[in-house]
Amino acid sequence: MIQIKKGREPDKLLQYRQQENASYEQMDKDVKEELLDRLLQEQGHLCAYCMSKIPETRELPEGVSAVTIEHWLPRNPDDKIDVGQGLDYKNMFAVCSGRRGCGSEEGMTCDARKGNSEIKVNPLDAKTLSGITYTANGKIKSSDPIIDEDINIRLNLNGETTSLSENRKQVLDSLLRDIKKRCGTGDISLYCQRRLEKIMEMDDPEIPYAGILIWWLKKHIK
């Protein structure tokens, strides 16, 4: 998971929000399409939570969308408190299907698993991301126990029935093979610095699961 930097909200969303009785549920299709395009561009076509590529290339069950507009603060919270979060651009992310249609709630991830739960980890807030690290086998974790619960329970980013940990491991293993090929047993610090700069400068589309690469490269820069 990496920080997402929001740009200017889409014009159609701004105009729609100013209408009387505007709501996310009643949003016109063209407004939603422009909104989703902007979110995907900002995020490099990566899911805000698991960082898989979206739209997904795998075949999905009938009726399951490959990309969803997620509200970090639930737009229909259990307490029914409406603070305008449904139409707040800073409250919106693009996310993957969350494995909807997998047959069990335990197997779902990201917003599909999160539902109306409130979470502390926020892709817009660097402070909530600062304690996130990874293991060599692709597990994601946090030094903050609440955020660690978000990762493992409310978002299910390490679930045994998902391929997320293995996908992150494969991305990291590919980086390690490339470093060994280019640097051998020599100093890798300069190469890591250049590789990190290249990743951070990338525009759409970004590298799926880039969070584990950024974490590892930062660790190996002197």
Side-chain angles (χ1 to χ4, degrees), residues 59-187:
E59 186 175 350
L60 297 172
E62 185 177 355
V64 175
S65 175
V67 56
T68 302
I69 296 175
E70 150 74 342
H71 290 78
W72 179 79
L73 181 64
R75 59 186 171 90
N76 294 312
D78 293 336
D79 59 15
K80 308 300 181 185
I81 295 178
D82 183 355
V83 292
Q85 66 267 32
L87 295 175
D88 182 357
Y89 183 61
K90 292 183 178 179
N91 191 44
M92 300 180 189
F93 299 121
V95 294
C96 67
S97 70
R99 301 187 77 242
R100 288 180 173 88
C102 70
S104 70
E105 182 179 349
E106 290 74 18
M108 293 193 291
T109 68
C110 304
D111 79 306
R113 176 63 175 262
K114 167 179 169 280
N116 281 338
S117 299
E118 292 191 25
I119 58 176
K120 181 177 180 181
V121 64
N122 185 342
L124 290 186
D125 187 351
K127 291 181 180 179
T128 70
L129 306 176
S130 61
I132 289 179
T133 60
Y134 298 83
T135 65
N137 62 358
K139 298 287 186 181
I140 180 173
K141 57 183 181 177
S142 174
S143 58
D144 183 320
I146 297 177
I147 291 178
D148 203 57
E149 284 190 3
D150 286 341
I151 289 171
N152 285 287
I153 299 175
R154 287 174 280 276
L155 296 172
N156 194 30
L157 300 186
N158 289 317
E160 293 183 1
T161 61
T162 77
S163 60
L164 293 176
S165 295
E166 178 59 28
N167 292 344
R168 289 188 289 262
K169 181 180 183 299
Q170 290 179 6
V171 168
L172 179 59
D173 287 347
S174 178
L175 171 67
L176 298 180
R177 287 194 297 270
D178 188 54
I179 290 176
K180 184 176 181 180
K181 178 180 178 180
R182 293 175 180 271
C183 303
T185 58
D187 184 9

Side-chain angles (χ1 to χ4, degrees), residues 188-200:
I188 66 172
S189 181
L190 180 59
Y191 178 77
C192 288
Q193 178 68 50
R194 291 174 176 172
R195 187 68 177 266
L196 178 63
E197 290 173 354
K198 184 176 181 180
I199 292 174
M200 301 302 289

